[in-house]
């Protein structure tokens, strides 16, 4: 069975082919047009998707040595994300499915991330904890089986990736902020600024990142220009460290609570090397089995959409052509549609 996956929820236009469960091509075009704006400009993002989507799909087919007629079904992200960007991918997929006379399946982008550690071959061993750390979400899920998910922790304000992006803007770095802060942290002392790990009173398992963004803003405003430039790597390393330590604090709490010892860590922030290193430390200390996606599957991609589309196709699941883009789509506890 050949599934074409299409992803256009934010600023990556991506297409991938999953053939009998294996990803045989994976094309991602990151939109550079936003770099000068410190964040994604929604109108520009949808225009770029519209301009590129057909070309990217053709590239994915070419790289798999397949043609349109070889596709059995089309999986496409229908939320969450930017409305205009989602509409471009979704309508392209609907049109192609109608033209080829094949089913199309709307995929929740978060469900794509949920299984992204298992794209390259590791067997999925249920139940496991999935730590989803993206630019829009910071959540810990108990994945009981395919389609059966329990939300254990979530952010009450900014996501961890967003904290990296906003911090980078305060530090005059480019977008996306995570890789920029990581790069500028090299050789830095993570204890230079003593940030406190933010707590959420109403639920100690939840995350809050808006306070540390304000903390770095005030700290920077209180420093002389020269002091900032002389200590730039220390500042970046300290900011990176408090984000990572906050993530790890809640992860450890959930491990204790659920007693689950298989953890999958996914999303753009899972590409961070310091984060991976600290997770590996916890993994050894607690005798856990941690799974990370390949770096190319941490950030947004269509391979994860094609793979979930493949699971759903195998279960005979297809979507109606009436399916609408859902910018605020959530993962429900039982998600079998
Ligand atoms: O999963 P993703 O590509 O898109 C969403 O679904 O949001 O995640 C993007 C986020 C951005 O906020 C970006 O700054 C962050 O992931 N990110 C990183 C790194 N690479 C990407 N954060 C920290 N370290 C990185 N190396
Ligand atoms: Zn994503």
């Amino acid at each position: 069975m050949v599934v074409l996956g299409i992803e256009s929820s934010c600023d990556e236009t991506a297409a991938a082919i999953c053939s009998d469960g294996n990803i045989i091509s994976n094309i991602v075009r990151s939109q550079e047009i936003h770099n000068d704006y410190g964040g994604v400009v929604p109108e520009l993002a949808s225009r770029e998707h519209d301009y590129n989507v057909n070309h990217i799909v053709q590239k994915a087919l070419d790289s798999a040595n397949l043609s349109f007629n070889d596709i059995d079904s089309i999986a496409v992200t229908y939320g969450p994300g930017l409305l205009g960007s989602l509409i471009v991918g979704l309508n392209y997929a609907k049109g192609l499915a109608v033209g080829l006379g094949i089913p199309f399946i709307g995929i929740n982008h978060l469900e794509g991330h949920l299984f992204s550690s298992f794209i390259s071959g590791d067997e999925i061993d249920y139940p496991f904890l999935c730590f989803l750390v993206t630019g829009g979400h910071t959540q810990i899920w108990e994945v009981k089986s395919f389609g059966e998910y329990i939300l254990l922790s979530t952010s009450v304000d900014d996501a961890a990736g967003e904290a990296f992006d906003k911090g980078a803007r305060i530090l005059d770095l480019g977008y996306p902020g995570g890789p920029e802060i990581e790069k500028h942290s090299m050789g830095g002392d993570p204890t230079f600024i003593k940030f406190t790990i933010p707590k959420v009173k109403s639920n100690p398992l939840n995350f809050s990142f808006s306070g540390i963004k304000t903390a770095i803003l005030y700290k920077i405003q209180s420093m002389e220009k020269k002091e900032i430039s002389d200590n730039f790597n220390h500042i970046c390393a300290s900011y990176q460290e408090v984000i990572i330590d906050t993530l790890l604090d809640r992860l450890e709490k959930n491990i204790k609570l659920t007693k689950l010892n298989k953890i999958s860590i996914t999303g753009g922030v899972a590409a961070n090397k310091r984060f991976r290193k600290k997770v590996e430390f916890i993994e050894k200390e607690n005798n856990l089995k941690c799974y990370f996606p390949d770096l190319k599957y941490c950030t947004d991609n269509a391979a994860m959409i094609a793979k979930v589309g493949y699971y759903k196709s195998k279960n005979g699941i297809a979507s109606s052509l009436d399916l609408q883009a859902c910018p605020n789509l959530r993962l429900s506890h039982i998600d079998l549609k």
Side-chain angles (χ1 to χ4, degrees):
M1 177 190 289
V2 174
V3 180
L4 165 67
I6 298 173
E7 156 63 37
S8 70
S9 63
C10 192
D11 58 339
E12 265 87 23
T13 315
I17 307 282
C18 181
S19 172
D20 292 334
N22 301 310
I23 298 299
I24 57 170
S25 79
N26 176 48
I27 308 291
V28 181
R29 173 166 299 182
S30 297
Q31 301 176 354
E32 283 168 12
I33 194 162
H34 310 286
N35 293 8
D36 296 337
Y37 297 91
V40 178
V41 184
E43 173 69 20
L44 295 179
S46 28
R47 284 173 193 231
E48 286 280 301
H49 287 306
D50 191 38
Y51 185 72
N52 287 317
V53 64
N54 188 52
H55 175 62
I56 295 297
V57 167
Q58 188 64 62
K59 264 182 103 168
L61 284 168
D62 289 348
S63 120
N65 272 323
L66 296 176
S67 72
F68 280 109
N69 290 324
D70 297 313
I71 306 170
D72 296 308
S73 64
I74 303 174
V76 60
T77 303
Y78 75 104
L82 300 170
L83 180 62
S85 294
L86 291 165
I87 286 175
V88 174
L90 184 61
N91 281 351
Y92 178 89
K94 284 182 185 176
L96 191 56
V98 170
L100 295 171
I102 56 174
F104 102 98
I105 316 156
I107 304 289
N108 186 322
H109 180 85
L110 302 179
E111 199 172 21
H113 278 300
L114 225 56
F115 290 96
S116 57
S117 293
F118 305 102
I119 293 176
S120 298
D122 266 329
E123 276 296 308
I124 307 177
D125 189 7
Y126 298 107
F128 64 91
L129 284 183
C130 183
F131 201 169
L132 187 75
V133 207
T134 73
H137 295 81
T138 303
Q139 297 178 330
I140 301 179
W141 290 87
E142 180 176 343
V143 182
K144 286 179 157 299
S145 64
F146 184 65
E148 200 184 350
Y149 317 125
I150 296 174
L151 184 63
L152 302 172
S153 294
T154 190
S155 176
V156 295
D157 43 53
D158 294 348
E162 202 176 350
F164 273 111
D165 297 335
K166 288 181 175 170
R169 213 177 306 161
I170 291 166
L171 294 166
D172 265 337
L173 295 171
Y175 176 86
E180 288 288 315
I181 290 186
E182 177 170 24
K183 191 171 76 194
H184 287 89
S185 299
M186 297 300 267
D189 172 7
T191 63
F192 180 73
I193 304 173
K194 295 193 174 34
F195 291 107
T196 16
I197 294 182
K199 292 200 170 79
V200 178
K201 265 197 192 148
S202 56
N203 183 348
L205 294 179
N206 281 345
F207 303 91
S208 165
F209 288 102
S210 66
I212 49 173
K213 170 199 67 195
T214 314
I216 192 157
L217 177 67
Y218 288 163
K219 183 72 193 172
I220 290 294
Q221 284 172 345
S222 74
M223 291 169 84
E224 298 291 332
K225 267 198 171 146
K226 180 160 180 351
E227 198 188 352
I228 296 173
S229 60
D230 286 353
N231 295 293
F232 199 65
N233 60 343
H234 303 320
I235 296 169
C236 290
S238 306
Y239 187 65
Q240 172 176 264
E241 200 76 356
V242 67
I243 296 176
I244 293 173
D245 287 348
T246 306
L247 295 173
L248 296 178
D249 176 79
R250 307 301 129 89
L251 178 62
E252 287 189 294
K253 283 194 169 87
N254 275 296
I255 291 169
K256 274 199 189 114
L257 209 73
T258 60
K259 306 211 166 32
L260 288 174
N261 63 353
K262 288 160 283 175
I263 328 282
S264 165
I265 307 201
T266 67
V269 179
N272 186 284
K273 290 187 194 68
R274 175 94 181 153
F275 182 38
R276 287 187 175 223
K277 212 168 158 198
K278 290 192 113 176
V279 168
E280 277 162 21
F281 181 76
I282 292 178
E283 182 180 18
K284 278 195 195 116
E285 272 216 322
N286 296 283
N287 209 12
L288 306 171
K289 175 81 189 114
C290 292
Y291 302 88
F292 282 97
D294 290 352
L295 282 182
K296 61 178 181 282
Y297 300 140
C298 285
T299 45
D300 287 349
N301 64 86
M304 65 185 193
I305 304 302
K307 188 92 184 210
V308 171
Y310 169 76
Y311 297 142
K312 295 207 176 204
S313 289
K314 268 204 330 187
N315 290 335
I317 295 167
S319 300
S320 140
L321 285 174
D322 294 333
L323 186 74
Q324 301 286 311
C326 297
N328 299 317
L329 185 67
R330 290 165 182 230
L331 259 186
S332 47
H333 291 194
I334 307 284
D335 206 327
L336 290 173
K337 291 210 180 115

